[in-house]
Amino acid sequence: MAEVVFEPRNIVVTGGCGFIGSNFVRWVARNHPEVHVTVLDKLTYAGNPANIAGLPESQVELVVGDICDADLLDEVVPGHDAIVHYAAESHNDNSIADPEPFVQTNVVGTYRLLQAARRYGIRYHHISTDEVYGDLALDEPRRFEPDDPYRPSSPYSSTKASSDLLVRAWARTYGLAATISNCSNNYGPYQHVEKFIPRQVTNILCGIRPKLYGTGENVRDWIHTEDHSRAVWDILTKGRIGETYLIGADGERSNIDVLREILSLMGEPQDAFDWVRDRPGHDRRYAIDPTKLERELGWRPVHTDFAEGLAQTIEWYRTHESWWRPAKEATERRYAEQGQ
Ligand code: NAD
Ligand code: TDX
């Protein structure tokens, strides 16, 4: 199994006030107190400083700013030994309504970070998604593998695919010490209420009926965000430079099955939801083969009981209404305008 080859001391985490980035920041603060984290986050509608509140100032510092701002990167990046890049516009439905910020943040922002990592000669880890590989048929036995061709479907996934390709080119042409990870659908605390699981859970808590797109047969491969954080740490510290690792936890489930599990955990009848307009270009199925990560780096998911993880996540939303309430109304208004 791979040895630790890089011991970071002072890292920049972009998007560290979003869902997955903030879970990673809290994981690092808990498990690697010797590491200082500078969070660089623009605090868009999806970024919330409360997500990292309460962490010791000696371990975590927040800089509010845009990854597209090259001058700011020249102020923030020097003195750090790695950039872990989570910041993105992350929601497929928003990208269909307005792709512009996706091209800016996901493509131009990644380009600016790569140039900064090059200028200061530091390690770079790129967070990406399984969606770059397009989708699979529902009945196909195959899962995504690292060398599969890129076939993104949505404006969101095409900008993530573009950013991955920039990273690959920067590693090969400029010798940047970069790695890429493509992860499947995350769930857990601090996820924005626009996303599938938090939307349905908070709908039920608000007395609104959950909304299922299309036929509900689409399959997503769920992973607890804490397992994602540990995988990213393993890749950052033990991964082979220039490589792509896929992160997934054998969590394939259809949307309707996930929704029925939520309804049953929350004591609602199985038919207490609405069918709504399907997402244009809706990917049918994602499925990750994590063999390379497991074999090379010895990573294994810990949260293997989805029903238990889902129950804990529901409980988190039940007990953190003041966290999600401010975003709920505007999110539902936006969906209503789209017929969803
Ligand atoms: P999120 O939308 O919850 O958070 C994104 C964060 O980035 C926010 O804090 C936001 O303020 C910040 N941000 C956006 N634009 C910025 C800019 N220009 N400059 C600085 N900060 C900016 O997203 P998430 O779901 O936590 O996803 C994080 C990363 O993980 C993304 O790169 C996403 O593509 C990837 N990913 C997500 C999933 C998932 O299931 N959510 C799965 C695989 C990969
Ligand atoms: O209300 C809903 N009803 C519904 O049926 C919502 C919000 C979604 N859905 C469906 C669409 C998808 O098939 O649920 C599934 C999951 O939807 P999202 O939470 O929007 O996630 P997805 O589009 O699969 O993308 C997520 O995983 C990959 C993240 O948002 C991306 O950032 C990540 O790259």
Side-chain angles (χ1 to χ4, degrees), residues 23 30 41 84 86 108 140-141 174 185 194 200 228 236 275 279 313 337:
N23 274 287
R30 202 164 56 244
D41 198 300
V84 183
Y86 284 91
V108 178
E140 216 174 321
Y174 302 116
N185 283 61
E194 69 192 356
Q200 314 312 340
H228 186 183
L236 179 67
W275 301 97
R279 174 183 286 171
T313 304
E337 283 162 13

Side-chain angles (χ1 to χ4, degrees), residues 212 216 253-262 306 310:
L212 196 59
R253 274 181 173 68
S254 68
N255 292 339
I256 191 158
D257 283 353
V258 173
L259 180 54
R260 291 217 164 107
E261 207 149 352
I262 293 171
F306 182 71
L310 189 58

Side-chain angles (χ1 to χ4, degrees), residues 97-144:
D98 179 14
E100 176 82 24
F102 289 76
V103 175
Q104 270 306 318
T105 287
N106 300 359
V107 184
V108 178
T110 297
Y111 158 71
R112 295 268 148 75
L113 286 168
L114 288 168
Q115 289 291 69
R118 238 186 103 199
R119 272 198 299 286
Y120 300 104
I122 64 173
R123 179 85 170 75
Y124 175 92
H125 180 69
H126 188 70
I127 305 296
S128 192
T129 170
D130 55 2
E131 296 188 20
V132 299
Y133 297 113
D135 63 355
L136 299 161
L138 294 179
D139 56 359
E140 216 174 321
R142 229 176 62 75
R143 301 191 290 178
F144 294 137

Side-chain angles (χ1 to χ4, degrees), residues 15-302:
C17 290
F19 163 46
I20 309 182
S22 68
N23 274 287
F24 178 73
V25 172
R26 286 196 316 282
W27 186 91
V28 172
R30 202 164 56 244
N31 293 283
H32 292 279
E34 76 283 5
V35 175
H36 182 271
V37 179
T38 303
V39 171
L40 174 58
D41 198 300
K42 187 180 172 182
L43 300 182
T44 67
Y45 78 95
N48 187 343
N51 297 6
I52 54 167
L55 296 172
E57 275 176 33
S58 57
Q59 280 176 257
V60 179
E61 180 196 353
L62 170 61
V63 176
V64 178
D66 193 329
I67 56 167
C68 299
D69 181 345
D71 293 336
L72 176 66
L73 296 182
D74 277 333
E75 283 171 35
V76 172
V77 173
H80 293 83
D81 46 25
I83 296 172
V84 183
H85 176 33
Y86 284 91
E89 286 293 335
S90 70
H91 194 39
N92 275 301
D93 293 321
N94 294 347
S95 81
I96 295 165
D98 179 14
E100 176 82 24
F102 289 76
V103 175
Q104 270 306 318
T105 287
N106 300 359
V107 184
V108 178
T110 297
Y111 158 71
R112 295 268 148 75
L113 286 168
L114 288 168
Q115 289 291 69
R118 238 186 103 199
R119 272 198 299 286
Y120 300 104
I122 64 173
R123 179 85 170 75
Y124 175 92
H125 180 69
H126 188 70
I127 305 296
S128 192
T129 170
D130 55 2
E131 296 188 20
V132 299
Y133 297 113
D135 63 355
L136 299 161
L138 294 179
D139 56 359
E140 216 174 321
R142 229 176 62 75
R143 301 191 290 178
F144 294 137
E145 293 174 18
D147 292 330
D148 281 357
Y150 273 33
R151 291 193 299 115
S153 314
S154 74
Y156 161 70
S157 55
S158 63
T159 59
K160 291 298 290 186
S162 308
S163 70
D164 291 13
L165 297 181
L166 293 177
V167 181
R168 289 182 178 194
W170 261 241
R172 174 156 172 166
T173 300
Y174 302 116
L176 185 75
T179 40
I180 300 175
S181 54
N182 298 80
C183 189
S184 60
N185 283 61
N186 283 222
Y187 74 99
Y190 298 99
Q191 186 168 29
H192 196 277
V193 291
E194 69 192 356
K195 302 296 192 325
F196 181 60
I197 290 177
R199 183 182 186 203
Q200 314 312 340
V201 170
T202 56
N203 270 4
I204 294 170
L205 292 174
C206 291
I208 304 170
R209 282 162 73 87
K211 312 289 179 205
L212 196 59
Y213 295 174
T215 62
E217 285 171 327
N218 306 61
V219 169
R220 295 296 180 262
D221 189 352
W222 294 96
I223 182 173
H224 194 282
T225 188
E226 202 171 276
D227 284 327
H228 186 183
S229 293
R230 208 160 26 76
V232 168
W233 184 261
D234 286 349
I235 298 165
L236 179 67
T237 57
K238 301 191 281 189
R240 283 187 292 137
I241 299 301
E243 292 293 312
T244 289
Y245 293 89
L246 302 196
I247 309 173
D250 291 329
E252 279 187 71
R253 274 181 173 68
S254 68
N255 292 339
I256 191 158
D257 283 353
V258 173
L259 180 54
R260 291 217 164 107
E261 207 149 352
I262 293 171
L263 289 165
S264 113
L265 285 164
M266 297 184 75
E268 295 288 316
Q270 290 289 289
D271 60 353
F273 67 87
D274 294 333
W275 301 97
V276 293
R277 189 175 73 86
D278 204 359
R279 174 183 286 171
H282 198 173
D283 281 337
R284 288 160 301 176
R285 171 175 159 247
Y286 306 138
I288 287 273
D289 179 351
T291 306
K292 178 173 172 181
L293 179 66
E294 294 179 348
R295 280 227 190 101
E296 276 190 25
L297 307 185
W299 175 88
R300 292 277 182 291
V302 169

